[in-house]
Amino acid sequence: MSDGPVPEPRERYVRPLLIAFLVACAADLVGVLTGPEGLHLVAKPLLMPLLAGYAAARRGPRLLIAALLCGWAGDVLLLADSDLAFLIGMAGFAAGHVCYLVLFGRARGALLPAIGYAVVLSVFVALIWDGLPGGLRVPMAGYSLLLTAMAYRSGVLGRYAATGGALFLLSDALIATGIADWPQLPGHGFWVMLTYVAAQLLLTLGALAPGARGAGAARGAYPERPIST
């Protein structure tokens, strides 16, 4: 006679994967802040696969895992110092935002945040437009629109996800100011990575929260789970 439900084999990996992700985050931030380029090059490509593994171990939605792996593709491509790699990497992140948007489903968001995000997007793009290279202006404007939509819609999954969406927008805004040759904060790369990893973690936690399935996820975004007996 069973004493209770037997944990799935994947559940034993939940805590180790989360710890590994946090260790990789710390290593990457140290590398960015203190200068060992090799540490950053090794740690950054590990971040999203570890977070995706954590989400999979917690039986997270397939679209969440896909979004994180699209982020991994963008992370790797942005390590290369070329305009082509930047554009392809941006396309990877854009695909991730589409995955998030589908995951968030059709639940209505609040009107006031929508207006706020629209104003922020319009003002920011107008301010950086002249400083962007000509070949990047239209792609970055389109990407910014998609990212802003994701940040706004993330609120349907609760405060964690909403904060994650806002931090993702902030992280990419910091990158854009660097491309436009604006004055940078000390430790600019550190702040870019800190806001980025925090954004992805909070979006993941929001999507994994108990109420996320009914809050706004699209049909089919969450896998059906068998009822234990």
Side-chain angles (χ1 to χ4, degrees), residues 140-153:
M140 287 192 68
Y143 173 81
S144 298
L145 178 60
L146 183 61
L147 170 59
T148 304
M150 186 281 293
Y152 162 62
R153 293 289 299 149

Side-chain angles (χ1 to χ4, degrees), residues 23-204:
V23 170
C25 286
D28 185 69
L29 292 172
V30 168
V32 171
L33 190 61
T34 62
E37 185 67 18
L39 187 57
H40 175 60
L41 293 175
V42 170
K44 187 178 182 183
L46 297 176
L47 297 172
M48 292 306 107
L50 288 170
L51 189 55
Y54 166 74
R58 287 195 55 187
R59 295 183 61 85
R62 293 181 291 272
L63 283 167
L64 170 63
I65 296 168
L68 295 172
L69 293 179
C70 287
W72 169 76
D75 287 343
V76 172
L77 285 162
L78 262 59
L79 288 172
D81 188 16
S82 74
D83 288 346
L84 179 60
F86 179 82
L87 285 171
I88 300 174
M90 187 166 59
F93 284 117
H97 298 325
V98 172
C99 291
Y100 277 128
L101 283 169
V102 177
L103 177 64
F104 299 152
R106 298 178 181 178
R108 285 189 176 184
L111 179 60
L112 188 59
I115 296 172
Y117 274 118
V119 170
V120 168
L121 172 65
S122 301
V123 172
F124 184 73
V125 170
L127 288 174
I128 68 168
W129 187 261
D130 288 340
L132 295 175
L136 292 180
R137 287 176 178 172
V138 173
M140 287 192 68
Y143 173 81
S144 298
L145 178 60
L146 183 61
L147 170 59
T148 304
M150 186 281 293
Y152 162 62
R153 293 289 299 149
S154 64
V156 302
L157 294 189
R159 293 181 180 179
Y160 280 165
T163 304
L167 286 175
F168 213 135
L169 186 62
L170 175 59
S171 179
D172 280 13
L174 291 173
I175 294 174
T177 60
I179 296 172
D181 289 329
W182 283 21
Q184 301 298 301
L185 294 170
H188 176 258
F190 172 84
W191 296 112
V192 168
M193 285 306 302
L194 179 62
T195 50
Y196 169 66
V197 294
Q200 292 280 37
L201 177 59
L202 288 169
L203 284 165
T204 298

